[in-house]
Amino acid sequence: MSHDLIRLTIRPLQFQQSAILISSGMPSNNLETRPIILRLAVPSPLRRLFDYLPPGQLKDRDRNFWKPGVRLRVPFGRRQVIALLVAVADHSDLPLTRLKPATEVLDEQPLFGSPLLQTLNWAAGYYQHPPGEVFSTALPTRLRQGAGTRPLPETVWAACPPPDADTGGLLQRAPRQRALLAKLQEQGPQTRTQLLAAGFSAAVLQGLVDRELVAARQQMPAEARREAASDSGSCQAPPAANQEQQIAIDTITDTLDRFHCHLLDGITGSGKTEVYMQVISRVLARNRQALVLVPEIGLTPQSVGSFRARFDCEIVVLHSGLSDSERLAGWLKAGRGEAGIVIGTRSAVFTPLARPGLIVIDEEHDSSFKQQDGFRYSARDLAIVRAREERVSIVLGSATPALESLHNARSGRFTHLRLKARAGAADTPPISLLDVSEASATEGFSQPLLDLIGHHLDRGNQALVFINRRGFAPSLVCRDCGFVYECPRCDARLTVHKSPPVLRCHHCESQQSLPQHCQFCASQRLYTQGLGTEKSEQYLLENFPGVPVLRIDSDSTRRRDSLQDRLEQVQSGQPCILVGTQMLAKGHHFPGVTLVAVLNADTGLFSPDFRAQEHMVQLLFQVAGRAGRAENPGQVIVQTRHAGHASLRALADHDYHQIADQLLDERRAGHMPPYCHLALFRAESVDPRQALALLEEIRWLCLRSLRSADAGQVEVHHPLPAPMERRAGRFRAQLLIKAGNRPAIHRLLTVACGQVETLKVARKVRWSIDVDPVDLT
């Protein structure tokens, strides 16, 4: 994202300024005699707001009663839907006789303050998305369904052992249950979220419930906070910051009273989280709130545990793993100002804050901050815009900053804060490239790597094996005729899964039973080709009997709390082997891991996607950073067939900035982001000709809509089939638009998107617009 995005003003709602003047009570000619028109964001695919009259029972209310940010129930077609009041106007393009009255007002006070409303309005224009869907996305599911906003009772778990119960004897062989019971007895009732954040899994809790030592009860949030405050112990004192950390803390603190962007660029293990927490302590001291965004659900328990140990304020957690009621309760606490700290994943960027003081984006480079369907927003970029509207500072933290962020920092648009050394006594682990181009390997493991794993286990340590491919094997092949099983709905091979035994497509999730013979020649000589996490897990179990092998990927962690259970076992410190995908690479702290092994580092080196090498290098640096984070020294082994590649040599030298310089030079020469701006029209249809036909019409529409002043700034490419043309039974095509400056591309998109809706072929084809795409496949 370029800094000019922050200055860019998108005004897709032309009534916005006058409506705000009216709704804020500023003088206007004969306002009291003019009609009151409610401009509402209604969840629909139409890129416009809708005018309604006030409900009949409220038609005599004056203008000051109507506050943007409240929900209304309105008739829309044959349905009643939940809409959000965006503005109040005194005129409509339609005759008043054609306007319908709203059914009812659902809120007494706005759910969003003016800065967040402005951010959402900006997002609707910038990402060229229907405003009704934008505002609906920002609401929790329960509020979209019309639920109320009064505080909800919470389920808490309290210790209730019988007076004569011998808990020590009952729990002699259950140390985690014994620890949880002691916690509840000492600190009082706790919510499920609090227990998970403290490192106790649902299975541990259920064990105490089954023994009738713990029971659930309902209580109001205020009551829960009083009990927690009366029973809570002292919080951990912050450790002394080193010189680099202190400079970062002081620099960020000096800008807390205004909008400012900071890039906290620190190697893995350098103490970025400690910087966040010490700045947040200063924010809380000013009676302000902090919003912390993390890229993965799996990071939230670890993050919350660290924050709860440090701070005695209410901490709210928001992510998709919570129930709708849990998300609503946390969302409302944040909006009422009851939570001092909000920690969440991508969609938490929309959480209202009563007294915003700081926004933190941890692992800001991570592509999961970009929504890949529907409303395709970037939570990182949207957070920067929100910080501007809220007039607060924002910190982007990463060991491997996105090239756009690094470019902004080097250009002076962000303050660049460097942490070049690991915090505490931990040393940066050496990274060795193991050339396997001529060496033999069994199931992806060379003998030197197996020997190293055994050496680290013998010393009582843990090893982490990284392979970014889930399943047992990526292909099933017939040895006699060469037939390869492919997805009938996608241009992709079916992945072999062992548990349960199926062939599954990782693009459309269709699956079929694992065959016993070739469907083409009936041969039974079928074999798997390639590696996946399941095959690596099996091979490690065979080679290291008696050593726990913990597989962590999206398949093994589908069950609720299964990820937390595995992480808890790792944190015990007992020797084990972790094997998994990128879920292991992001921000986890594994003190017992002294060896990190990357089975295949070559994925992404030669991809046609211009961002692939950047993402690959970031991932390798992140996973390498899991080694040697405590007192025991670490070691990183990277297996590759291209040991001389410049990116891998820089990885071995621990020099991310060397790779970044090289990639930025390539981007500048190729006129690609951050040196230009992209937008991608996507279309898909069961008939490939229709998708391409729509994009061809859009192309000509764009060319006709170009202003003469922008003609030299904007390139409208010809439509092409997507790199994976067929997915989920539909044929996909895309049209790339490139521009030298951001205003030029947005002037074009604002005109074009409004006209695309009127095309007849657009009604037969699914189409979307992706502004600042991170994935061109």
Side-chain angles (χ1 to χ4, degrees):
M1 185 197 71
S2 178
H3 193 67
D4 59 355
L5 180 149
I6 300 172
R7 298 194 299 265
L8 180 63
T9 301
I10 301 292
R11 300 191 186 280
L13 312 179
Q14 298 301 322
F15 55 84
Q16 181 186 18
Q17 283 186 307
S18 62
I20 291 175
L21 291 174
I22 293 171
S23 64
S24 61
M26 297 183 70
S28 180
N29 296 331
N30 302 318
L31 271 183
E32 297 307 321
T33 63
R34 297 181 183 178
I36 295 176
I37 308 297
L38 306 181
R39 293 234 158 104
L40 304 179
V42 179
S44 79
L46 301 176
R47 288 169 166 76
R48 62 185 68 101
L49 299 182
F50 293 85
D51 291 351
Y52 282 82
L53 297 174
Q57 67 273 26
L58 299 174
K59 62 182 180 181
D60 295 328
R61 294 278 187 163
D62 63 22
R63 295 177 185 278
N64 292 328
F65 173 80
W66 300 101
K67 301 174 182 177
V70 299
R71 293 171 302 150
L72 295 92
R73 193 184 308 274
V74 299
F76 192 73
R78 299 181 179 181
R79 301 177 296 137
Q80 291 282 325
V81 300
I82 307 301
L84 196 88
L85 179 61
V86 176
V88 181
D90 61 357
H91 68 280
S92 174
D93 293 337
L94 296 174
L96 294 183
T97 54
R98 293 186 57 187
L99 299 184
K100 296 180 179 180
T103 304
E104 62 176 324
V105 180
L106 299 179
D107 305 308
E108 296 178 2
Q109 296 296 326
L111 299 178
F112 300 115
S114 178
L116 189 47
L117 279 174
Q118 294 288 358
T119 301
L120 293 170
N121 177 51
W122 179 93
Y126 182 79
Y127 292 107
Q128 301 294 330
H129 200 76
E133 293 186 359
V134 171
F135 284 93
S136 181
T137 299
L139 291 171
T141 301
R142 292 287 303 278
L143 293 184
R144 292 179 221 160
Q145 297 169 345
T149 58
R150 295 184 181 277
L152 302 173
E154 294 180 322
T155 299
V156 295
W157 303 89
C160 58
D164 57 347
D166 178 15
T167 56
L170 283 172
L171 304 178
Q172 183 176 2
R173 297 185 178 182
R176 294 299 294 165
Q177 292 184 25
R178 188 167 64 249
L180 175 53
L181 181 62
K183 177 181 177 65
L184 294 175
Q185 289 174 324
E186 294 171 5
Q187 300 183 10
Q190 302 274 307
T191 66
R192 177 180 171 278
T193 301
Q194 289 172 322
L195 295 178
L196 290 177
F200 296 101
S201 67
V204 173
L205 177 61
Q206 188 60 47
L208 290 175
V209 173
D210 294 341
R211 296 175 187 268
E212 298 183 349
L213 299 176
V214 165
R217 77 184 194 204
Q218 297 288 312
Q219 65 182 27
M220 297 304 292
E223 180 185 350
R225 288 195 302 278
R226 284 195 299 271
E227 291 197 23
S230 62
D231 294 326
S232 61
S234 59
C235 295
Q236 292 179 357
N242 62 33
Q243 184 177 4
E244 288 181 331
Q245 288 175 316
Q246 194 61 54
I247 291 173
I249 293 166
D250 293 342
T251 302
I252 299 169
T253 301
D254 287 344
T255 65
L256 288 180
D257 58 349
R258 62 187 184 277
F259 168 62
H260 196 89
C261 293
H262 301 271
L263 176 63
L264 185 60
D265 177 0
I267 66 170
T268 55
S270 59
K272 294 183 290 295
T273 300
E274 183 58 37
V275 172
Y276 303 154
M277 290 198 290
Q278 293 208 25
V279 174
I280 287 173
S281 69
R282 290 156 172 76
V283 171
L284 297 175
R286 302 182 183 196
N287 195 31
R288 300 276 183 160
Q289 296 168 280
L291 173 63
V292 181
L293 298 188
V294 296
E296 294 282 346
I297 293 175
L299 293 182
T300 48
Q302 177 174 294
S303 301
V304 174
S306 300
F307 277 79
R308 287 196 193 282
R310 179 70 63 87
F311 301 106
D312 61 359
C313 67
E314 179 85 10
I315 297 176
V316 156
V317 182
L318 296 172
H319 56 73
S320 60
L322 303 176
S323 68
D324 290 344
S325 295
E326 288 173 323
R327 285 177 65 88
L328 175 58
W331 198 88
L332 293 175
K333 284 181 182 180
R336 290 193 295 261
E338 297 169 4
I341 301 172
V342 178
I343 301 175
T345 49
R346 180 177 57 227
S347 61
V349 72
F350 302 117
T351 307
L353 301 173
R355 303 178 308 279
L358 178 72
I359 299 176
V360 174
I361 312 294
D362 192 27
E363 310 291 356
E364 64 87 25
H365 67 276
D366 199 282
S367 59
S368 66
F369 281 125
K370 179 65 185 286
Q371 176 71 28
Q372 296 293 352
D373 55 17
F375 173 28
R376 297 172 182 264
Y377 66 93
S378 164
R380 179 198 63 190
D381 295 355
L382 203 53
I384 293 175
V385 175
R386 181 177 180 183
R388 178 195 65 184
E389 296 296 333
E390 301 277 13
R391 299 180 182 178
V392 301
S393 284
I394 181 169
V395 180
L396 312 180
S398 177
T400 54
L403 295 186
E404 289 86 352
S405 299
L406 201 57
H407 176 67
N408 284 331
R410 292 177 175 181
S411 302
R413 295 161 179 164
F414 298 171
T415 296
H416 196 181
L417 303 170
R418 297 289 304 274
L419 303 178
K420 300 179 182 180
R422 282 197 162 185
D427 293 324
T428 303
I431 300 177
S432 302
L433 302 181
L434 184 57
D435 191 342
V436 294
S437 58
E438 297 182 0
S440 61
T442 304
E443 306 296 12
F445 289 84
S446 62
Q447 190 57 48
L449 177 56
L450 289 174
D451 293 341
L452 274 172
I453 293 174
H455 173 70
H456 282 261
L457 293 175
D458 290 343
R459 298 178 64 180
N461 297 320
Q462 299 170 337
L464 186 156
V465 176
F466 174 75
I467 174 172
N468 203 26
R469 181 180 287 141
R470 61 189 176 98
F472 188 79
S475 301
L476 182 65
V477 184
C478 175
R479 196 177 298 276
D480 288 335
C481 71
F483 177 78
V484 180
Y485 281 80
E486 296 184 344
C487 177
R489 306 176 68 226
C490 302
D491 291 336
R493 295 182 175 183
L494 290 170
T495 299
V496 181
H497 284 255
K498 186 177 180 181
S499 179
V502 295
L503 292 175
R504 180 181 300 151
C505 177
H506 287 175
H507 301 280
C508 70
E509 294 302 318
S510 64
Q511 64 182 44
Q512 62 188 63
S513 300
L514 198 62
Q516 300 300 314
H517 55 79
C518 174
Q519 73 178 49
F520 188 76
C521 71
S523 169
Q524 295 184 354
R525 287 159 47 84
L526 302 178
Y527 72 100
T528 59
Q529 190 176 71
L531 296 173
T533 51
E534 288 184 356
K535 183 181 285 189
S536 298
E537 176 190 28
Q538 175 180 293
Y539 185 72
L540 289 167
L541 285 169
E542 293 170 354
N543 279 268
F544 300 98
V547 177
V549 178
L550 308 177
R551 177 166 57 90
I552 297 181
D553 57 28
S554 58
D555 294 320
S556 66
T557 57
R558 289 183 188 273
R559 182 178 57 83
R560 192 170 188 173
D561 302 323
S562 55
L563 175 60
Q564 181 66 23
D565 292 342
R566 285 169 168 78
L567 295 179
E568 186 177 303
Q569 188 173 350
V570 177
Q571 296 295 339
S572 71
Q574 295 299 311
C576 67
I577 303 174
L578 292 83
V579 56
T581 60
Q582 60 183 343
M583 291 180 67
L584 289 174
K586 300 175 182 178
H588 292 291
H589 180 63
F590 300 133
V593 171
T594 55
L595 174 66
V596 165
V598 179
L599 288 193
N600 181 9
D602 302 335
T603 304
L605 288 178
F606 308 105
S607 170
D609 184 351
F610 76 95
R611 295 186 190 273
Q613 192 170 156
E614 175 192 1
H615 293 165
M616 183 273 294
V617 169
Q618 289 168 340
L619 187 58
L620 291 180
F621 268 97
Q622 292 289 332
V623 72
R626 301 315 105 200
R629 296 173 69 93
E631 63 275 4
N632 293 327
Q635 182 179 9
V636 180
I637 300 296
V638 179
Q639 291 190 158
T640 175
R641 296 181 181 276
H642 302 279
H645 195 283
S647 293
L648 295 181
R649 297 307 311 170
L651 172 67
D653 294 337
H654 294 275
D655 195 344
Y656 175 73
H657 285 262
Q658 176 185 334
I659 304 174
D661 289 341
Q662 171 195 328
L663 294 177
L664 282 170
D665 287 343
E666 293 174 1
R667 299 275 186 92
R668 184 186 294 107
H671 191 52
M672 297 298 284
Y675 303 101
C676 77
H677 310 286
L678 303 180
L680 193 69
F681 278 99
R682 305 176 192 265
E684 58 180 61
S685 171
V686 293
D687 184 347
R689 294 169 298 181
Q690 288 185 336
L692 288 169
L694 172 62
L695 293 180
E696 188 61 39
E697 287 204 41
I698 293 176
R699 176 176 175 269
W700 284 109
L701 189 154
C702 289
L703 292 175
R704 290 194 300 269
S705 302
L706 268 178
R707 297 183 180 183
S708 57
D710 295 334
Q713 291 285 334
V714 180
E715 301 175 24
V716 182
H717 291 214
H718 287 273
L720 294 170
M724 178 184 288
E725 183 177 9
R726 188 167 54 101
R727 183 171 181 174
R730 304 181 73 88
F731 291 88
R732 305 157 64 237
Q734 53 196 37
L735 170 67
L736 182 66
I737 300 178
K738 181 191 294 190
N741 68 73
R742 201 177 294 274
I745 198 171
H746 278 280
R747 282 192 291 267
L748 173 61
L749 294 177
T750 299
V751 175
C753 287
Q755 295 182 11
V756 172
E757 291 179 343
T758 66
L759 299 176
K760 289 184 179 180
V761 67
R763 301 169 191 171
K764 304 175 183 179
V765 177
R766 294 179 188 171
W767 68 277
S768 63
I769 176 70
D770 190 354
V771 178
D772 299 332
V774 298
D775 181 6
L776 299 183
T777 60

